[in-house]
Amino acid sequence: MSLFSLPAVKGLIAQILGTIAGMALTTVIRALMGLPAWKAEPAWVVGALLGGVAFLFAVGAFDDWLQWMVGKETPLRHGPPPDRPAWTRYFSVDYNHKVIGIQYTVWGLFLLMAGGTFALAFRTELLRSGMQFLGLELFNNFIGLHGIVMIGGILLGVGGMANYLVPLMLGAEDMAFPRLNALGFWFNVPGALLILSSLLVGGWDAGWTGYPPLSARGPIGYQLFFLGVYFIGLSSIVGAVNLLVTILHMRPKGMSLFRMPIFVWGVFATSLIQLTATQLIGLSFLMVLVERTLGMGFFDPGLAGPGKALLEGGGDPILFQHLFWFYSHPAVYIFILPGLAVIGELLPVFARKPLFGYKWVALSSLAIALVGFLVWAHHMFVSGMNPGLRVPFMFATLLVAVPTGVKFFSWVGTIWGGKLHFPTPMLFVLGAISVFLIGGLTGPILGTVPTNMPLHDSYFVVGHFHATMFGGFVFPFFAALYFWYPKVTGRMYNETLGKIHFWLMTPAFWAQTLGQMTVGVMGMRRRIADYDPALGNGMIQAGHVVITIAGFAIAFGVLLMIYNFIRSAEVGKVAGSNPWRSRSPEWQIPSPVPEHSFAAPVTVVGEPYDYGLAGSTYVRMAAAGDD
Amino acid sequence: MNKNMRHFAIVAVLVLIGAVIMNKLLISVLPLPTPSSAQAESVDSLFRLHMALISLFFSLIVVFVVYAIVIFRARKGDESDGEYIHGNTTLEIVWTVIPLAIVIYLGFLGTKALGEVTQAQPNEKVIQVTGFQWDWRFEYPEEGITSTTLVLPKGQPIRLEMQSEDVIHSFFIPEFRVKQDLVPGHVTTLRITPTRTGGFVLRCAELCGLSHAYMLADVQVLEPAEYDAWVAEQTSQTELPPAELGAKIAETQGCQGCHSLDGSPSAGPTWKGLFGREETLADGSTVVVDEDYLRESILDPHAKIVEGFQPIMPTDYGEKLSDEEITAIIEFIKTLE
């Protein structure tokens, strides 16, 4: 089998060729219009767009739809490709949600590690004040890349959990729209490549938030960043449609909404946000792209700085921030709601006790999703927006604490009086609770305008949101990886290595997040390549040393986990179908899950988390041949 | 149930002890710089209240979880299930309503403190702040001073009217607590009443490009008498020889942003060797640079555009500069041979 017959490789080649074709097309059109033929910026924009689309065609994401357009019917393909080794299906367009779930997860882990590497680079630079090895330009590029690549990795991790688990938890064979599901994943590959390759064309130096006028004036790298985010955003939207339809229409007999596994509730709330908010980050970046490429002044008021080109003005930089945060605040709930739902999913299994206040936990996810739409301007308390808006946004922001509190209290209620077991997934759940707790509790102080003023754009904010991201996504995601690993591979991971990973990462993360808050209060601003060593009575450098060492410890822990997973897939002991004694449908079928998951239809006959109720069961599967 | 009550009593005591320890810990690892403005007092008291609440709720959850881990851990080989408890609606309502009441109260306190830090004060002194990549400029319209150091009299309410010349910047002095972005196309306002004399550093808090980390300015808070002396010293500088005064004005007005002094190309014609040079204008005609031409180019910069340049120079220098100041700039240009 030749490497070049692998669809993912075909896609990569097509992306390069498509980019060149797009650049050529732009040049020809410009020549025909009588303009100077070569202009780098429009050539790159059209090239990057065509390159991304070419990837999707070449990888085969549109194959079936193209056949349908000419009237040919195509049956849904099942199983590994007949003419190639089985592993190649992970590098091809495959319609099985379990394959897509793993594609999402692995590509997500890759991006998280890439984003983490950017962080390690600039963390090393920050070990000491003064510039060491990075240089100002590269530093400013790396902070933005760290941010957006991490966000992409988190979205993919969320997609991985949702795609793999939701159909299994619903007892369904697959998602509602398997072809759309595959397209949704593949959008992420050219998208992520565009973002990473932006470094080759000058990069972009405004941080992942890309505020104009700075982003409207910088190098061409911005355009690839915008287009990459656009592709990943499309993935979010089609993925969300698919999950919502699947959840609403494919539940088995007997599974009312309030009998769904709590993870499905988390995904449901997250998908509602993804479906309705993602357009706004696409729109805001598209407007900057158009402003740069076609000279439409949406955001730049048209003031010329020294040596800068004069843009035809009339725009308002604050408008961008409203559009941008209308997605980008709810986005953090996209990241954490599935993670918090993993906590709710795993606690009952390891406490051998029902989830305390199931309905309250389920509805608190919806409440967070809803209130999350009304708080975006707390990112703009000092932005110069209408000052009168600060008060209503302060109250709305503080309100988020209420449904979040319900979750914490319900988790405590679940643990209380249980029979607690502590394998690695449970440790990560407890780590998640502790970390998300400090992340959540440092929210109101930032949401209150007067205390926001000194902390805004300081490292205190950096500490706060890293705690929410780690507590709300990273720790629960790792818990989920360890928890469902035996279901996916059929083998058990190495428990000792898992525990080492936990005991390395948790104290390290705590040191990192508290260290960030400490230097922030001392006056350390976000996104600066160099800092004044006199801050905090000269203690600031010690703070940065702690943060950097902790960052490397976390990275080492992640590598240990990857090693554990690769190694255990071969030598791990056979797990059996239900090593955790869970009641959830996916644990009632063999491990690894067969191609068609459930051999017989699933019927829900009880509550999902009735641990401790003798003789009860959640799902029943008709015996083969039975109807 | 009795057993549970005993557990709850122990936990309640531990939560309180934990909250006190946590609060001590937080205050020691989160050292706010010495408060140095009237606004800082309102901010800091709210800050301390938040720290106390963070400590209390952190302790509440962590003590419950850790206690449960110790007491309810499964003994080796115990495969039995925990107590079958589904939930408790009364408890859920309690832990919804109490946090709701707390956040509404916090919102009320926040609104009140916001009023305190933003309200207009009698006898405000206005200082105009301009941010640009990557420096600051301060203008004192009452005294007619332009400075690259922000000098403030202690105890005097100040209203900063802030503008940006290029991208978004943010005005931040940690000891004063308050912060406000400078947005191109907008004038934003920030109020400060300095309460402690000494030197501070103003730092840009919004990523503004390459040298953002180094966009700093010195800040001096002086006793009122010392401030008056500084004002007198600054205003007496009009006694300088005209060419030196012109150089100073050109610097504070940012002329060299577009007009180089060493002949290097920029957005506007270089000043090096400008006086007496013959320039070709955009309409093809030529002109010899003399005093009248320079004066016209400052007052009405778009009247004659030198070939190869855009008409982008601001047209309001006639309002900003006095006749003497324009003469001084012309004298300065004359020296650049």
Side-chain angles (χ1 to χ4, degrees):
Chain A
M1 191 205 71
S2 144
L3 190 64
F4 292 103
S5 70
L6 211 56
V9 176
K10 283 189 198 166
L12 284 176
I13 295 166
Q15 186 167 8
I16 295 167
L17 295 177
T19 307
I20 296 168
M23 295 175 117
L25 180 70
T26 316
T27 309
V28 169
I29 290 174
R30 284 179 63 89
L32 290 177
M33 287 170 72
L35 296 163
W38 173 253
K39 199 177 171 197
E41 183 141 349
W44 272 105
V45 170
V46 178
L49 186 64
L50 280 193
V53 174
F55 181 101
L56 294 171
F57 274 98
V59 81
F62 299 117
D63 279 3
D64 279 6
W65 293 318
L66 291 172
Q67 299 275 318
W68 298 358
M69 281 165 71
V70 295
K72 284 192 198 142
E73 282 188 32
T74 55
L76 200 62
R77 280 183 277 118
H78 288 294
D83 48 344
R84 282 198 291 259
W87 61 267
T88 58
R89 69 190 306 198
Y90 293 98
F91 296 87
S92 318
V93 172
D94 194 288
Y95 297 147
N96 189 314
H97 76 96
K98 294 180 286 292
V99 172
I100 294 172
I102 289 166
Q103 287 174 327
Y104 264 108
T105 306
V106 172
W107 188 232
L109 278 170
F110 169 78
L111 287 184
L112 290 173
M113 287 195 285
T117 307
F118 288 123
L120 292 180
F122 65 71
R123 279 295 351 148
T124 308
E125 172 62 52
L126 289 169
L127 261 178
R128 281 168 51 193
S129 76
M131 293 309 289
Q132 268 58 247
F133 68 102
L134 260 189
L136 295 174
E137 193 180 348
L138 215 48
F139 184 96
N140 290 353
N141 277 296
F142 276 13
I143 51 150
L145 277 164
H146 167 64
I148 200 68
V149 172
M150 281 298 188
I151 288 168
I154 292 173
L155 284 171
L156 280 150
V158 167
M161 293 192 287
N163 279 289
Y164 195 92
L165 294 173
V166 166
L168 289 180
M169 288 181 166
L170 299 182
E173 184 186 335
D174 211 312
M175 299 276 282
F177 309 117
R179 293 176 181 85
L180 192 65
N181 202 22
L183 174 67
F185 165 71
W186 286 100
F187 271 131
N188 290 296
V189 180
L193 292 177
L194 281 175
I195 290 174
L196 291 172
S197 58
S198 65
L199 260 184
L200 305 176
V201 286
W204 42 281
D205 56 0
W208 80 276
T209 48
Y211 277 10
L214 189 59
S215 63
R217 297 174 178 192
I220 297 173
Y222 277 102
Q223 304 280 23
L224 302 197
F225 159 55
F226 295 148
L227 285 167
V229 170
Y230 211 80
F231 272 86
I232 292 174
L234 283 170
S235 163
S236 277
I237 294 169
V238 300
V241 173
N242 211 344
L243 284 161
L244 287 173
V245 175
T246 305
I247 292 167
L248 290 175
H249 279 280
M250 296 181 68
R251 275 173 287 127
K253 198 172 152 207
M255 190 189 280
S256 61
L257 285 176
F258 285 115
R259 276 185 167 183
M260 294 194 301
I262 206 72
F263 178 75
V264 179
W265 269 105
V267 172
F268 184 73
T270 271
S271 300
L272 281 176
I273 309 173
Q274 280 189 298
L275 179 65
T276 48
T278 311
Q279 292 80 354
L280 271 290
I281 190 172
L283 175 72
S284 55
F285 282 172
L286 186 65
M287 285 167 84
V288 183
L289 184 146
V290 169
E291 174 157 340
R292 292 175 59 111
T293 319
L294 303 175
M296 296 187 182
F298 296 117
F299 305 125
D300 199 310
L303 299 167
K308 298 286 188 314
L310 181 76
L311 282 161
E312 288 306 317
D316 190 332
I318 293 177
L319 172 64
F320 173 89
Q321 298 177 26
H322 281 296
L323 297 174
F324 176 83
W325 288 113
F326 189 82
Y327 164 79
S328 298
H329 187 77
V332 307
Y333 302 123
I334 294 175
F335 307 154
I336 64 168
L337 286 173
L340 302 185
V342 166
I343 297 175
E345 191 68 41
L346 266 54
L347 276 181
V349 177
F350 293 116
R352 312 307 304 165
K353 199 168 154 285
L355 179 63
F356 195 94
Y358 171 97
K359 278 191 187 177
W360 291 80
V361 176
L363 292 177
S364 69
S365 294
L366 280 187
I368 291 174
L370 189 72
V371 180
F373 273 102
L374 306 173
V375 304
W376 77 87
H378 67 224
H379 296 268
M380 303 166 59
F381 280 156
V382 303
S383 70
M385 68 170 180
N386 180 347
L389 285 176
R390 298 197 277 201
V391 171
F393 276 103
M394 168 168 61
F395 275 98
T397 301
L398 291 170
L399 216 52
V400 179
V402 177
T404 315
V406 167
K407 284 193 187 291
F408 276 106
F409 295 127
S410 301
W411 295 334
V412 172
T414 307
I415 295 170
W416 193 261
K419 287 275 164 93
L420 305 174
H421 299 264
F422 303 101
T424 307
M426 178 62 159
L427 292 180
F428 272 95
V429 163
L430 295 171
I433 292 175
S434 81
V435 168
F436 191 67
L437 183 60
I438 197 66
L441 286 173
T442 46
I445 195 168
L446 290 166
T448 313
V449 184
T451 40
N452 175 280
M453 286 178 153
L455 302 176
H456 185 93
D457 271 326
S458 79
Y459 257 61
F460 188 88
V461 178
V462 176
H464 158 73
F465 75 74
H466 278 86
T468 58
M469 291 295 99
F470 268 74
F473 174 78
V474 177
F475 276 84
F477 180 53
F478 289 176
L481 290 179
Y482 283 110
F483 183 75
W484 278 286
Y485 181 83
K487 183 48 61 185
V488 174
T489 62
R491 290 180 186 271
M492 211 61 187
Y493 59 85
N494 181 313
E495 191 67 58
T496 311
L497 284 182
K499 286 189 169 148
I500 294 174
H501 174 197
F502 173 79
W503 287 111
L504 194 62
M505 180 166 144
T506 309
F509 182 78
W510 265 96
Q512 178 186 300
T513 200
L514 283 183
Q516 285 167 335
M517 291 179 193
T518 302
V519 297
V521 169
M522 289 171 175
M524 174 80 189
R525 302 161 284 154
R526 275 179 89 172
R527 297 168 164 170
I528 52 169
D530 191 7
Y531 53 89
D532 180 354
L535 285 173
N537 295 323
M539 290 303 290
I540 192 164
Q541 196 151 302
H544 279 291
V545 171
V546 169
I547 301 168
T548 305
I549 292 173
F552 276 95
I554 294 168
F556 181 70
V558 172
L559 290 179
L560 212 56
M561 177 182 77
I562 304 284
Y563 168 78
N564 191 353
F565 287 165
I566 293 171
R567 182 97 180 111
S568 301
E570 284 174 34
V571 304
K573 74 171 201 287
V574 173
S577 65
N578 194 0
W580 308 122
R581 298 184 292 136
S582 165
R583 295 163 58 93
S584 197
E586 77 273 20
W587 294 103
Q588 317 311 319
I589 53 176
S591 312
V593 185
E595 181 72 22
H596 295 277
S597 306
F598 296 90
V602 172
T603 315
V604 169
V605 294
E607 300 294 328
Y609 302 107
D610 271 354
Y611 296 96
L613 183 64
S616 81
T617 146
Y618 178 33
V619 291
R620 188 179 294 150
M621 274 175 281
D626 214 79
D627 204 12
Chain B
M1 206 61 216
N2 264 341
K3 206 173 118 202
N4 245 342
M5 277 303 153
R6 206 177 69 233
H7 284 315
F8 287 142
I10 298 169
V11 168
V13 173
L14 291 177
V15 165
L16 286 177
I17 297 170
V20 172
I21 295 172
M22 185 70 184
N23 200 36
K24 291 256 184 249
L25 181 80
L26 279 182
I27 285 175
S28 67
V29 299
L30 299 176
L32 281 168
T34 315
S36 307
S37 73
Q39 288 72 15
E41 286 164 31
S42 306
V43 172
D44 286 5
S45 62
L46 200 55
F47 190 94
R48 283 188 291 270
L49 174 66
H50 270 292
M51 285 299 146
L53 284 172
I54 291 172
S55 306
L56 178 63
F57 280 95
F58 186 83
S59 175
L60 179 68
I61 300 289
V62 167
V63 168
F64 259 102
V65 170
V66 172
Y67 190 83
I69 288 173
V70 174
I71 301 295
F72 301 113
R73 69 183 189 282
R75 303 306 188 272
K76 213 171 170 56
D78 184 356
E79 299 277 271
S80 64
D81 285 339
E83 288 176 66
Y84 179 68
I85 304 167
H86 247 286
N88 183 323
T89 307
T90 316
L91 267 182
E92 298 279 359
I93 291 171
V94 167
W95 64 47
T96 304
V97 171
I98 291 179
L100 184 66
I102 292 175
V103 297
I104 290 175
Y105 184 59
L106 273 180
F108 165 73
L109 291 180
T111 310
K112 197 161 143 273
L114 178 64
E116 287 162 13
V117 298
T118 54
Q119 73 191 345
Q121 307 282 337
N123 313 319
E124 279 176 347
K125 170 190 275 308
V126 174
I127 299 175
Q128 286 161 353
V129 178
T130 306
F132 50 97
Q133 288 171 321
W134 291 276
D135 217 338
W136 302 88
R137 183 171 68 236
F138 311 99
E139 279 150 75
Y140 296 69
E142 282 170 47
E143 293 89 345
I145 298 171
T146 302
S147 168
T148 52
T149 302
L150 180 59
V151 180
L152 303 170
K154 182 185 156 187
Q156 163 71 48
I158 308 285
R159 187 169 87 235
L160 300 171
E161 290 182 349
M162 312 201 287
Q163 292 188 73
S164 164
E165 287 185 352
D166 36 49
V167 300
I168 301 172
H169 303 284
S170 193
F171 182 101
F172 180 43
I173 301 166
E175 290 84 353
F176 293 173
R177 303 292 187 268
V178 287
K179 183 181 285 143
Q180 176 63 51
D181 286 1
L182 288 69
V183 186
H186 289 250
V187 178
T188 54
T189 306
L190 189 64
R191 289 191 166 85
I192 290 170
T193 309
T195 53
R196 206 165 61 87
T197 55
F200 305 91
V201 183
L202 163 62
R203 297 179 165 90
C204 174
E206 181 70 50
L207 179 55
C208 59
L210 190 69
S211 299
H212 163 59
Y214 301 119
M215 185 170 161
L216 317 170
D218 285 328
V219 179
Q220 288 290 333
V221 176
L222 305 175
E223 293 292 347
E226 291 174 306
Y227 175 79
D228 291 339
W230 176 77
V231 170
E233 185 195 332
Q234 292 296 307
T235 43
S236 70
Q237 282 180 352
T238 43
E239 309 299 321
L240 285 171
E244 276 178 47
L245 177 65
K248 204 167 183 64
I249 296 166
E251 184 200 333
T252 51
Q253 291 294 332
C255 299
Q256 272 66 63
C258 295
H259 303 281
S260 72
L261 300 180
D262 57 2
S264 57
S266 190
T270 182
W271 284 1
K272 185 182 162 73
L274 178 60
F275 194 79
R277 189 161 70 204
E278 191 178 88
E279 294 275 34
T280 308
L281 300 181
D283 62 9
S285 62
T286 58
V287 59
V288 174
V289 177
D290 56 13
E291 286 186 18
D292 288 340
Y293 170 80
L294 285 175
R295 187 171 295 275
E296 181 190 42
S297 295
I298 293 169
L299 292 171
D300 185 10
H302 299 181
K304 296 196 175 95
I305 297 296
V306 176
E307 192 178 22
F309 294 96
Q310 298 296 315
I312 55 172
M313 181 165 151
T315 52
D316 58 352
Y317 286 110
E319 297 150 35
K320 282 187 187 172
L321 302 174
S322 67
D323 258 7
E324 293 75 32
E325 285 170 325
I326 292 173
T327 310
I329 292 173
I330 293 169
E331 289 305 315
F332 171 54
I333 294 173
K334 279 185 185 173
T335 65
L336 298 165
E337 287 163 358

